[in-house]
Amino acid sequence: MTMQPWFSEAKLGIFVHWGIYAVDGVGESWSFFGGDVPYETYMAQLNGFTASRYRPDDWAKLFRKAGAKYAVLTTKHHDGVALWDTACTDLSVPRRSPVARDLVGPFADALRRHDLRVGLYFSHNDWSHPDYPSVRPSKLHRPWVDNRYAMPAPGDEDPERWERYLEVVHRGQIRELIEGYRPDLLWFDGAWERDERQWRMKELREEILASSPETVLNGRMLGHGDFATAELGVPITRPEGPWELCYTINDLWGYQPQDTRHKSVRELVRVFAETIGHGGNLLLNTGPREDGTIRPEHAQRLEGLGRWISRNQEAVYPTEAGLPYGHHYGPSMLSKDRRTLFLVCFDTPRVFVELRGVHNTVKRISVLGTGQELGHRVVGGFPSRRVPGVVRIEVPTVSDPYATVLAIELDGELDLYTGSGEG
Ligand code: GLC
């Protein structure tokens, strides 16, 4: 599969979960699905959704400050409420809320004005549409998916309604998004309720790429996406191929006022460094309030992450995954020409920093952000058997408050020692 190179070079995206659920501050879609809130109460939030302070240029400026290269907006979550004026269903914010206008177009335009790539989240499943709960998958993904919003009772299946859902709602709305907004990225969700064949995902991929060949597709297409989508935890081992981690600043996706366990900038820097050190992108989420404002705790954290990124730019753009664990105690990145390694030190280094298992000669070591040059010496090794010594690096006099990055310039392309030392 070929994918647009911008995606792997982007490193940071901002996920925006914005919808009527911010009015009462209840869980996006899941709150009625799980029975915490009656469906009618949930949908009554349409009346309170105003977007009265929605200024997507301010969002875009903030995302740029964070160091992001793209953003992804929830154009329709599992609740089926579209943020644009869809002709495929009646359930949209322009038609059914006081907002009375399209919210997706201004988002896409503002992002482009600020040189950000446009990502649109779209839920395959739609827990409001009467034609959606019409067929059952061959195997339930989890027992809890057997819910009246998602599935017909066994024996009540109606394949014709399913065909109508696929054509009119699913395919229809995806076409509207592509034609209306030309997204750089389509970020799907909710595939788990049907089989690949029921969704006809392979054909969906072909249809999208026929009309919009440059659009990148996320992994939630049951094997037909461009990159793997991890959620809420940095993978322990490096995934193969392009991948992205979606992650929350606090605990939940949509805005809920009591959701105040915001992660610190230091924690976010760690997750970001671990993610890009494994070659992935971080898609960091914020849930704006119903009026379109972003809570200040999130703005502060996004700006803090952005300051770290700008101090350590070279280690972020454009780099690739660094050393496998074992060579350095922490994440690392490698420059595109493979001649500079960036070692991330989470805690203030006190005695020395070690780099192990590298055949190259080190030409120069400096600290990003301060430019301080650091001395080093090579200890041990068995040159006649090509066993490299350990590079012991002096510690910087000033450390970064969040994570210090050392740039190690090598005498050529990185040449890793992979032996066990026996022989
Ligand atoms: C999940 C949830 C959802 C959230 C999404 C983000 O699959 O269904 O509420 O939007 O992940 O990745």
Side-chain angles (χ1 to χ4, degrees):
M1 284 180 205
T2 54
M3 186 182 53
Q4 292 302 305
W6 72 263
F7 182 79
S8 297
E9 290 167 10
K11 310 298 174 191
L12 182 68
I14 307 297
F15 210 172
V16 183
H17 271 71
W18 192 35
I20 62 166
Y21 37 84
V23 172
D24 293 344
V26 296
E28 71 285 346
S29 312
W30 293 101
S31 53
F32 75 79
F33 189 83
D36 303 335
V37 173
Y39 183 80
E40 294 65 32
T41 313
Y42 184 93
M43 284 301 163
Q45 295 178 103
L46 277 162
N47 306 322
F49 194 67
T50 66
S52 59
R53 295 169 71 197
Y54 175 42
R55 288 191 255 292
D57 278 289
D58 291 352
W59 287 7
K61 280 184 213 153
L62 174 64
F63 302 165
R64 288 283 308 205
K65 268 194 185 167
K69 303 288 188 197
Y70 64 109
V72 179
L73 173 68
T74 49
T75 64
K76 177 177 122 165
H77 206 263
H78 317 320
D79 58 12
V81 181
L83 296 188
W84 79 101
D85 189 10
T86 176
C88 306
T89 73
D90 279 334
L91 191 52
S92 70
V93 155
R95 291 191 192 186
R96 298 270 301 276
S97 81
V99 172
R101 64 180 202 281
D102 172 30
L103 298 177
V104 179
F107 171 83
D109 294 343
L111 257 51
R112 293 202 163 106
R113 273 196 290 279
H114 292 91
D115 207 17
L116 290 158
R117 297 279 181 168
V118 176
L120 303 181
Y121 166 110
F122 179 78
S123 171
H124 295 294
N125 53 356
D126 184 326
W127 294 335
S128 286
H129 200 277
D131 287 336
Y132 179 68
S134 48
V135 290
R136 299 174 65 84
S138 54
K139 190 169 167 286
L140 295 181
H141 162 76
R142 296 268 191 287
W144 50 258
V145 301
D146 204 352
N147 174 302
R148 68 190 164 109
Y149 296 107
M151 306 285 165
D156 276 351
E157 298 193 58
D158 183 350
E160 266 178 44
R161 272 170 55 218
W162 177 250
E163 287 307 312
R164 207 158 63 204
Y165 174 78
L166 269 192
E167 180 49 32
V168 178
V169 183
H170 188 245
R171 299 307 209 253
Q173 290 189 322
I174 293 171
R175 271 182 225 127
E176 286 181 340
L177 291 176
I178 291 175
E179 283 159 22
Y181 312 109
R182 296 269 140 214
D184 299 297
L185 164 64
L186 276 171
W187 208 102
F188 291 111
D189 194 13
W192 66 83
E193 287 174 347
R194 301 287 185 267
D195 301 335
E196 187 276 333
R197 283 293 75 208
Q198 289 171 312
W199 289 119
R200 295 207 282 278
M201 284 295 189
K202 182 171 174 288
E203 292 80 351
L204 175 62
R205 178 184 173 85
E206 286 161 6
E207 279 167 48
I208 295 172
L209 295 185
S211 67
S212 188
E214 307 215 321
T215 301
V216 175
L217 305 173
N218 82 330
R220 293 181 174 167
M221 294 190 71
L222 305 177
H224 299 287
D226 292 317
F227 62 86
T229 302
E231 183 167 332
L232 294 173
V234 182
I236 301 302
T237 54
R238 183 175 301 169
E240 268 180 42
W243 68 280
E244 175 191 66
L245 169 69
C246 56
Y247 201 74
T248 52
I249 295 181
N250 35 355
D251 289 326
L252 307 168
W253 297 105
Y255 175 74
Q256 300 197 38
Q258 82 291 358
D259 179 19
T260 54
R261 288 205 312 165
H262 309 287
K263 291 159 191 105
S264 63
V265 175
R266 181 173 285 104
E267 289 173 282
L268 296 172
V269 163
R270 287 188 180 214
V271 170
F272 179 61
E274 285 172 348
T275 302
I276 65 172
H278 272 334
N281 286 359
L282 181 67
L283 183 63
L284 189 58
N285 180 73
T286 185
R289 302 188 187 96
E290 69 75 24
D291 67 0
T293 53
I294 291 178
R295 56 203 300 175
E297 300 94 326
H298 284 198
Q300 285 153 10
R301 281 157 178 85
L302 291 176
E303 286 170 5
L305 175 59
R307 282 193 293 274
W308 183 84
I309 291 177
S310 68
R311 286 197 292 277
N312 296 285
Q313 290 237 19
E314 283 170 67
V316 179
Y317 313 114
T319 54
E320 35 190 82
L323 300 163
Y325 283 139
H327 294 269
H328 161 62
Y329 294 123
S332 58
M333 285 73 83
L334 184 61
S335 63
K336 281 271 166 199
D337 66 5
R338 308 184 62 81
R339 289 166 169 264
T340 306
L341 262 174
F342 300 97
L343 306 186
V344 182
C345 305
F346 284 151
D347 298 304
T348 304
R350 302 224 176 264
V351 187
F352 48 75
V353 177
E354 274 190 7
L355 171 63
R356 297 181 296 173
V358 168
H359 288 302
N360 307 76
T361 301
V362 171
K363 277 172 48 186
R364 181 172 179 268
I365 303 178
S366 60
V367 185
L368 294 193
T370 68
Q372 185 187 359
E373 276 203 39
L374 302 178
H376 73 277
R377 63 194 186 101
V378 180
V379 182
F382 196 163
S384 60
R385 293 209 176 146
R386 282 211 15 110
V387 178
V390 171
V391 181
R392 283 220 173 116
I393 306 165
E394 253 172 36
V395 296
T397 44
V398 182
S399 283
D400 186 280
Y402 301 129
T404 305
V405 184
L406 309 186
I408 319 283
E409 288 172 37
L410 307 172
D411 62 345
E413 291 192 20
L414 176 68
D415 183 7
L416 273 189
Y417 168 68
T418 49
S420 62
E422 269 181 56

